[in-house]
Amino acid sequence: MFTREFNDPACQDVREVGGKAAGLAQMTAAGLPVAPGFAVTAAAYRAYLQTGGLQEFTRGVLDGLGTSREQSAFDDADRAISERFTRMPLPDSVANAIRAAYAKLCEDTGVDNIAVAVRSSATAEDSVGASFAGEFETWVDIVGADAVLEYVHKCYVSVFAGRVLSYLAEKEIDPHAIEMAVVIQKTVRARAAGVMFTLSPTSGDRSKIVMEASWGLGLSVVGGEVTPDRFVVDKVGLGIADRVVGNKIIEYRRGDAPVDVPAERRDVLCLQDDEVVALATLGKKLERIHQAPQDIEFAVDEELPEGSNLILLQCRPETVWSNADRKPAFDATAGMMSWITGSISGATAPPAHAHDASHQH
């Protein structure tokens, strides 16, 4: 099988789909909403290396490096391999499987030519150490089956990039020990986005869930460029205890530059009550799964139908209160967002298919 949807139990096999895809499949299996998509398996990568003698060719080039530790030698190897790879398209069996999976994603979401993020999900990432994740690339806003095939191909070429080869040499890892799986995931089109804490970030009260959100992608909130709406939910019973309208003057629609929020939307709460309650329910579930208070980034995707439009982007353990008797690390009056680093998944990269520095699992 060259592709696996996130809801396929086989997509939880790290050796076949890599850490990123397996993590998304595990979240999907736990009933947690992630942006829909599929993995291109390591089997597809193996099939590619078996076309036109690519495996023998790459082995020859790498053997030619000997014990060299010179970056220039790694860069020369990179050039030779990428030139050969560029001339060798994906085998039909792999290309057809990816086309079919992309067509099904368009059909399932009801979005023609859906824009996706194409993320490397190397199968050795977790065993080799987390720092490895940053060695590979992510591209966002890739539209159409032909473009998806092109960027899967780029993921394959990236295994032999000069900086990756030197990194692997330093760690004494054979590049052929890495198998490149690829995550294809819908680009999130956020009507609204924000952050949720499964305790009060200002008081540490474990009986509350607190959300801050604004229109568009979460960049405006994370960057402190708006005063977001604030929602407080009682953890028991899920009643909304407080709603505070923020001052939402700008929004990011596509992740590149902010636009002004029309006057009639500035003073309107960006989340509806049922969305707040649904998010709080997810927050409780994540807290239960991780056995600790969580700091969760979310978005409401305007392209997906109501009921399946809440998307979890990232989940981390909450650090300020969970490490006990420390004072809050931020000024409560400044809004909890001012101290959160990290990025909304995919939103950090401008539409020019840039490298995404977020490297999330």
Side-chain angles (χ1 to χ4, degrees):
M1 279 288 288
F2 294 140
T3 63
R4 296 277 185 199
E5 291 183 28
F6 297 157
N7 58 8
D8 181 340
C11 196
Q12 295 179 45
D13 180 354
V14 174
R15 289 159 314 186
E16 206 41 42
V17 300
K20 279 183 196 146
L24 290 163
Q26 283 157 4
M27 287 177 78
T28 303
L32 299 169
V34 296
F38 61 92
V40 180
T41 62
Y45 177 68
R46 290 193 293 272
Y48 179 63
L49 285 187
Q50 280 150 22
T51 49
L54 287 180
Q55 183 122 26
E56 296 73 19
F57 177 75
T58 52
R59 178 124 355 246
V61 172
L62 297 175
D63 287 348
L65 285 170
T67 55
S68 171
R69 288 288 182 273
E70 294 294 315
Q71 187 58 48
S72 59
F74 293 122
D75 291 340
D76 289 344
D78 171 1
R79 265 193 296 280
I81 290 171
S82 64
E83 199 174 290
R84 180 72 179 262
F85 273 40
T86 303
R87 294 201 304 269
M88 192 65 64
L90 301 180
D92 287 348
S93 55
V94 170
N96 292 340
I98 295 170
R99 282 181 187 283
Y102 178 77
K104 186 168 187 302
L105 182 62
C106 294
E107 192 185 322
D108 289 349
T109 53
V111 183
D112 287 339
N113 272 336
I114 195 167
V116 292
V118 177
R119 293 198 162 87
S120 312
S121 183
T123 59
E125 269 179 31
D126 294 336
S127 55
V128 173
S131 58
F132 195 59
E135 296 301 314
F136 294 114
E137 314 237 16
T138 287
W139 293 274
V140 299
D141 276 333
I142 307 303
V143 176
D146 290 345
V148 170
L149 292 176
E150 180 191 334
Y151 282 89
V152 169
H153 191 246
K154 283 182 194 283
C155 284
Y156 293 173
V157 178
S158 73
V159 175
F160 299 95
R163 63 195 172 79
V164 176
L165 293 177
S166 61
Y167 177 88
L168 295 176
E170 191 187 307
K171 303 278 184 213
E172 298 184 345
I173 298 161
D174 175 4
H176 287 98
I178 291 163
E179 294 187 330
M180 180 57 78
V182 183
V183 171
I184 311 288
Q185 189 177 24
K186 181 191 185 306
T187 297
V188 175
R189 296 285 179 229
R191 184 197 86 214
V195 71
M196 158 168 58
F197 291 88
T198 63
L199 49 60
S200 164
T202 45
S203 68
D205 181 351
R206 294 285 301 265
S207 74
K208 301 282 187 263
I209 291 173
V210 177
M211 289 169 220
E212 285 198 346
S214 191
W215 296 117
L217 293 160
L219 295 174
S220 60
V221 186
V222 175
E225 298 171 272
V226 296
T227 306
D229 296 337
R230 190 165 189 268
F231 303 86
V232 180
V233 181
D234 289 317
K235 211 178 266 181
V236 178
L238 295 176
I240 301 176
D242 201 12
R243 301 173 191 79
V244 181
V245 177
N247 184 22
K248 305 177 293 296
I249 45 177
I250 60 158
E251 63 183 333
Y252 287 84
R253 302 304 297 173
R254 283 292 188 266
D256 46 359
V259 294
D260 289 339
V261 172
E264 65 274 12
R265 270 202 295 130
R266 289 183 185 183
D267 301 328
V268 175
L269 289 168
C270 66
L271 298 177
Q272 292 150 19
D273 283 2
D274 57 344
E275 291 168 343
V276 171
V277 172
L279 285 162
T281 307
L282 289 169
K284 281 176 72 168
K285 191 171 198 171
L286 283 163
E287 184 175 73
R288 232 179 6 257
I289 289 169
H290 295 288
Q291 301 283 299
Q294 298 294 302
D295 150 4
I296 300 152
E297 288 175 17
F298 63 84
V300 184
D301 192 319
E302 64 191 1
E303 288 182 330
L304 295 175
E306 259 180 65
S308 58
N309 59 348
L310 300 181
I311 299 292
L312 297 176
L313 301 171
Q314 200 168 23
C315 178
R316 297 174 285 256
E318 187 283 329
T319 51
V320 175
W321 292 95
S322 308
N323 298 344
D325 310 316
R326 293 198 288 115
K327 279 200 168 72
F330 61 98
D331 169 5
T333 58
M336 65 182 85
M337 274 304 194
S338 56
W339 59 278
I340 292 174
T341 56
S343 59
I344 295 287
S345 175
T348 48
H353 311 129
H355 186 266
D356 175 357
S358 51
H359 303 303
Q360 285 139 8
H361 284 266

